Amino acid sequence: MRLDAAELVESREILPGQWLQAYHAPDLASGARAGQFIHVRPGDFSGMILRRPFSLNTADAATGIVTIHFRVVGRGTEWFTHLRPGDRIDLLGPLGRPFEVDPRNRHLLLVAGGLGIAGVRMLADEAIRDGRQVTLLFGAASAREVYPSSLLPDEIEYIVATDDGSLGHHGYVTDLVLDYEAWADQAFACGPAPMLAALARIAAGRRERLGVAKLGRKRGGGKVDPVGSPAARRKAFLQVSMEQNMGCAVGACLGCVVMSTSGVPQRVCREGPVFAAEEIAWENAW
Ligand SMILES: Cc1cc2nc3c(=O)[nH]c(=O)nc-3n(C[C@H](O)[C@H](O)[C@H](O)COP(=O)(O)OP(=O)(O)OC[C@H]3O[C@@H](n4cnc5c(N)ncnc54)[C@H](O)[C@@H]3O)c2cc1C
Ligand code: FES
């Protein structure tokens, strides 16, 4: 993690109120992994003291370019839209723990709700680069808010659901998951908390629905990976990227905690933002 200055290269409104910005930040672009985020300071004299967290939407080590995709919701995100190419921002990152893909897995299911696409977008690039097959299920309120397919790698299968039925499946994106659960080796999701909680319930019943036997202890001592470790997350069928209001984003203020099933509060900025779905106590996480 480091403090860096990044130069804005391109800024455009890709959907109503949603912006895609590209920054030149070579160290970040080469050191970041999918699922991590940056903490960005809005202008020096704007009166906004706290930095704002954004997922790393893409990172290209060859060009040194990283992108963020954000929706304008308040003063900070509004301030970013007034930046022009050549302007510089001050950012901290990469922060948090990334998604963990089991190296043996070939079929990855990504599930995004609205702006949650920014949380899983970079994983699509990493997976394609590593020769994996990717299906992205994307849910939005209506066709107006559907992420443009032109911004995705050609190699992925892209399936859309809209709440009002104006494009793709009429209903929630979670309705589509059962059709893919046998195909997928692992699933990764980012979006509103109710969507993530629904996916966690689906994932919890998957083994039983598919009739997959629970494997016994393996030869070599049957070592159990500690909860929250990268190895344990790698074995989870579903990993989720959580969003929580943040203060420091470096683990000091405890402003971002969610409750885990073990009863130990987890800091989204340090232990997360990516968790195995079974680590989160969904009924009383907040
Ligand atoms: C790990 C992480 C990744 C995120 N990635 C993205 C992304 O890729 N794209 C995107 O559009 N949004 C993302 N968000 C949410 C984004 O940070 C907030 O929308 C943004 O901070 C709002 O700032 P604002 O000044 O416009 O709004 P205001 O409501 O004026 O913000 C006031 C304060 O509240 C905090 N805050 C408000 N809403 C949120 C929120 N939902 N999450 C965290 N802090 C919040 C801000 O940091 C700020 O300190 C992410 C949040 C987290 C925690
Ligand atoms: S935001 Fe301060 S501990 Fe996570």
Side-chain angles (χ1 to χ4, degrees), residues 37 39 48 50-56 68-78 115 118-119 241-246 268 273:
F37 68 100
H39 214 202
M48 290 177 277
L50 291 175
R51 291 169 178 270
R52 269 57 173 172
F54 296 105
S55 302
L56 276 161
I68 57 171
H69 167 201
F70 61 90
R71 190 203 306 272
V72 176
V73 294
R75 278 184 65 198
T77 42
E78 164 72 22
L115 249 297
S241 175
M242 309 277 291
E243 213 179 272
Q244 188 75 315
N245 280 17
M246 285 188 180
V268 170

Side-chain angles (χ1 to χ4, degrees), residues 7-116:
E7 182 179 323
L8 182 68
V9 177
E10 192 186 0
S11 176
R12 59 191 170 114
E13 193 172 11
I14 53 168
L15 290 168
Q18 292 187 34
W19 291 69
L20 186 67
Q21 292 191 333
Y23 290 91
H24 189 240
D27 290 339
L28 182 64
S30 57
R33 286 179 55 197
Q36 292 187 296
F37 68 100
I38 53 176
H39 214 202
V40 190
R41 191 169 66 167
D44 279 344
F45 305 107
S46 57
M48 290 177 277
I49 297 163
L50 291 175
R51 291 169 178 270
R52 269 57 173 172
F54 296 105
S55 302
L56 276 161
N57 182 60
T58 59
D60 184 341
T63 59
I65 298 291
V66 298
T67 65
I68 57 171
H69 167 201
F70 61 90
R71 190 203 306 272
V72 176
V73 294
R75 278 184 65 198
T77 42
E78 164 72 22
W79 182 86
F80 286 105
T81 67
H82 299 295
L83 293 172
R84 294 289 166 260
D87 289 346
R88 293 171 84 77
I89 57 163
D90 156 350
L91 59 83
L92 202 56
L95 296 168
R97 298 198 183 171
F99 289 114
E100 297 291 346
V101 179
D102 187 320
R104 295 166 300 181
N105 289 343
R106 308 319 307 159
H107 297 163
L108 304 193
L109 182 66
L110 312 189
V111 187
L115 249 297

Side-chain angles (χ1 to χ4, degrees), residues 27-258:
D27 290 339
L28 182 64
S30 57
R33 286 179 55 197
Q36 292 187 296
F37 68 100
I38 53 176
H39 214 202
V40 190
R41 191 169 66 167
D44 279 344
F45 305 107
S46 57
M48 290 177 277
I49 297 163
L50 291 175
R51 291 169 178 270
R52 269 57 173 172
F54 296 105
S55 302
L56 276 161
N57 182 60
T58 59
D60 184 341
T63 59
I65 298 291
V66 298
T67 65
I68 57 171
H69 167 201
F70 61 90
R71 190 203 306 272
V72 176
V73 294
R75 278 184 65 198
T77 42
E78 164 72 22
W79 182 86
F80 286 105
T81 67
H82 299 295
L83 293 172
R84 294 289 166 260
D87 289 346
R88 293 171 84 77
I89 57 163
D90 156 350
L91 59 83
L92 202 56
L95 296 168
R97 298 198 183 171
F99 289 114
E100 297 291 346
V101 179
D102 187 320
R104 295 166 300 181
N105 289 343
R106 308 319 307 159
H107 297 163
L108 304 193
L109 182 66
L110 312 189
V111 187
L115 249 297
I117 183 74
V120 294
R121 171 66 188 79
M122 187 167 157
L123 185 57
D125 285 344
E126 287 186 358
I128 299 291
R129 184 199 60 203
D130 295 341
R132 298 189 164 90
Q133 289 180 37
V134 177
T135 294
L136 168 63
L137 308 179
F138 176 84
S142 74
R144 284 184 83 231
E145 291 163 50
V146 170
Y147 191 75
S149 56
S150 58
L151 296 176
L152 292 168
D154 291 340
E155 295 89 341
I156 77 171
E157 182 187 23
Y158 183 38
I159 316 273
V160 170
T162 50
D163 299 352
D164 66 1
S166 49
L167 193 68
H169 168 74
H170 185 176
Y172 291 143
V173 67
T174 45
D175 302 343
L176 303 169
V177 172
L178 290 180
D179 292 343
Y180 287 87
E181 68 172 359
W183 171 85
D185 299 315
Q186 263 184 299
F188 304 87
C190 185
M195 182 195 99
L196 298 181
L199 289 173
R201 281 192 296 275
I202 293 171
R206 174 177 178 266
R207 212 181 258 279
E208 206 166 307
R209 279 191 301 280
L210 298 182
V212 180
K214 253 194 175 160
L215 297 175
R217 285 164 71 92
K218 286 189 186 139
R219 267 183 291 163
K223 183 168 84 63
V224 177
D225 298 309
V227 175
S229 65
R233 288 180 182 173
R234 208 169 290 137
K235 287 181 186 157
F237 173 70
L238 174 65
Q239 289 167 44
V240 295
S241 175
M242 309 277 291
E243 213 179 272
Q244 188 75 315
N245 280 17
M246 285 188 180
C248 69
V250 291
C253 73
L254 304 185
C256 65
V257 294
V258 291

